[in-house]
Amino acid sequence: MRIILVEDEPLSLRLLQVTLTGWGYDVVPVTNGVDAWRLLEQNDQPTLALIDWMMPGMDGLELCRRVRANGREPYVYLVLLTERQAPGDNVLGLKSGADDFMTKPFDDEELRARLKAGERIVSLHAELVAARDAMRTLAIVDPLTGLPNRSAILHTLTKEMSRARREVAQLAVAMVDIDHFKQINDAHGHLAGDAVLREVATRMQGALRTYEAAGRFGGEEFLLILPACDREKGVLVAERIRSAVAGKTIDIAGSSIAVTCSIGVAAMNGGERVAPLDLVSAADTALYQAKADGRNRVATHDAHRATVQG
Ligand code: GH3
Ligand code: MG
Ligand code: MG
Ligand code: MG
């Protein structure tokens, strides 16, 4: 484990470095607070620090304060070393953000035990952060396709629509639904069906530009967000997606599966006030139209008229 050792006194620094190295630590020796702060600010910082209180320039207290104010992850466990023993010093040290302190001269074994306690805190914190990040990912990513899930893509839609309104820009959405997907499941099994969903997601993403987004809206339905597209441009993008999906068969476990999809497109005009779900619902209506007209095609819809192409 890496530990940053901050001590302005060369002999103490050397002695402590030898001791810590003997205990198996990978020691990063630093002789002043400013250099230590520069190091601790970085991303791959050590997560354990042994810091002398009394140093010229930035002292140990100030260093602790800065590390805490910075609040970055992973958590850095700070142990202050002090020769001072005035009443209230300990309180001051802890208040500045130190997790623990040792008064010089100290017992080596006690220091070792306290550093071990620090390591436990650091690894507990790392586990918590990893668990929290995993939960965050689960909350927004569809585990099967890796695309944003329904709530994440609707969140993006809400943001993009308010931006389009603000900037008086165009925005189109497309609802994509795989044709006769139930038959694919029935003929090849659910695992093959899952693989088809993954491949369709990959093909769609490959056909979209970086500022366009696709999410899994539900079962075999995907929502696309197409900024800077009016209805006509939205249809062109949807057509590109449709042919990317239908262009060649999907080969799974020895079977060549022909997959097509139907797509409904709707758009808002710049500055227009439309609720996100109303736009989705218009795209849905267009999708039903595309299905009714024979599938494997793109249709559009707005409040006043519906047109079909394909
Ligand atoms: P249509 O052309 O009218 O859209 O017909 P369809 O068969 O695609 O539509 P339907 O709504 O009847 O069936 C959708 C099927 O999608 C039913 C459901 O079992 C399947 N499905 C939904 N989610 C998943 C999934 O995650 N994996 C697999 N393998 N199948 C799924
Ligand atoms: Mg000192
Ligand atoms: Mg469906
Ligand atoms: Mg379907």
Side-chain angles (χ1 to χ4, degrees):
M1 177 154 196
R2 287 203 307 152
I3 182 168
I4 180 167
L5 172 62
V6 196
E7 168 64 85
D8 63 311
E9 226 263 276
L11 185 61
S12 303
L13 180 77
R14 187 75 204 120
L15 285 174
L16 267 169
Q17 188 174 358
V18 169
T19 307
L20 293 172
T21 305
W23 291 340
Y25 287 104
D26 178 6
V27 183
V28 182
V30 186
T31 54
N32 63 79
V34 174
D35 285 351
W37 170 235
R38 230 173 260 144
L39 263 175
L40 286 169
E41 249 188 327
Q42 286 168 17
N43 266 341
D44 55 347
Q45 52 182 286
T47 46
L48 202 54
L50 190 56
I51 302 167
D52 186 28
W53 180 322
M54 301 289 277
M55 292 184 292
M58 188 188 299
D59 67 7
L61 274 194
E62 178 59 18
L63 182 56
C64 290
R65 268 189 217 110
R66 287 200 186 198
V67 171
R68 289 299 170 246
N70 182 306
R72 283 177 71 154
E73 287 172 347
Y75 188 80
V76 187
Y77 192 87
L78 306 171
V79 181
L80 261 183
L81 291 175
T82 172
E83 288 148 55
R84 304 167 47 138
Q85 273 174 324
D89 273 0
N90 295 348
V91 174
L92 193 58
L94 291 172
K95 274 190 174 166
S96 72
D99 295 287
D100 200 359
F101 50 85
M102 296 226 34
T103 309
K104 297 179 191 176
F106 47 78
D107 174 62
D108 274 6
E109 281 311 308
E110 186 178 346
L111 175 62
R112 189 176 188 177
R114 285 180 188 265
L115 291 178
K116 277 278 164 230
E119 280 184 47
R120 284 197 296 273
I121 299 288
V122 163
S123 76
L124 267 175
H125 188 264
E127 280 169 31
L128 278 175
V129 166
R132 182 205 61 199
D133 290 350
M135 297 287 283
R136 270 189 193 159
T137 303
L138 272 180
I140 58 170
V141 174
D142 167 52
L144 180 69
T145 60
L147 292 179
N149 65 15
R150 183 193 187 107
S151 68
I153 197 71
L154 282 176
H155 182 71
T156 304
L157 177 63
T158 305
K159 272 198 328 206
E160 288 295 334
M161 283 179 75
S162 47
R163 191 186 17 195
R165 200 157 52 231
R166 228 175 27 247
E167 294 173 1
V168 196
Q170 309 280 344
L171 183 125
V173 299
M175 189 65 89
V176 181
D177 185 295
I178 301 178
D179 295 329
H180 298 306
F181 188 61
K182 199 171 166 323
Q183 286 174 17
I184 294 176
N185 273 334
D186 291 346
H188 304 278
H190 270 82
L191 289 182
D194 285 354
V196 166
L197 286 171
R198 274 196 294 269
E199 176 60 19
V200 167
T202 304
R203 289 184 185 186
M204 282 194 313
Q205 274 204 305
L208 288 175
R209 284 171 277 237
T210 44
Y211 55 89
E212 297 168 339
R216 188 174 180 196
F217 198 69
E220 24 74 271
E221 288 164 19
F222 302 90
L223 181 67
L224 312 181
I225 300 172
L226 312 171
C229 281
D230 58 12
R231 229 156 43 130
E232 284 65 35
K233 283 192 192 134
V235 167
L236 290 179
V237 177
E239 197 44 57
R240 206 167 66 224
I241 297 286
R242 191 199 60 74
S243 44
V245 171
K248 56 180 180 16
T249 56
I250 299 179
D251 298 328
I252 292 152
S255 307
S256 260
I257 307 175
V259 179
T260 62
C261 63
S262 301
I263 306 181
V265 175
M268 67 178 268
N269 286 318
E272 200 179 29
R273 269 202 176 273
V274 192
L277 286 180
D278 287 344
L279 196 58
V280 170
S281 160
D284 224 24
T285 305
L287 171 62
Y288 281 114
Q289 191 62 49
K291 292 278 184 192
D293 287 321
R295 294 179 171 77
N296 190 22
R297 66 195 60 221
V298 177
T300 67
H301 176 86
D302 69 12
H304 312 292
R305 62 202 166 102
T307 55
V308 177
Q309 320 190 349

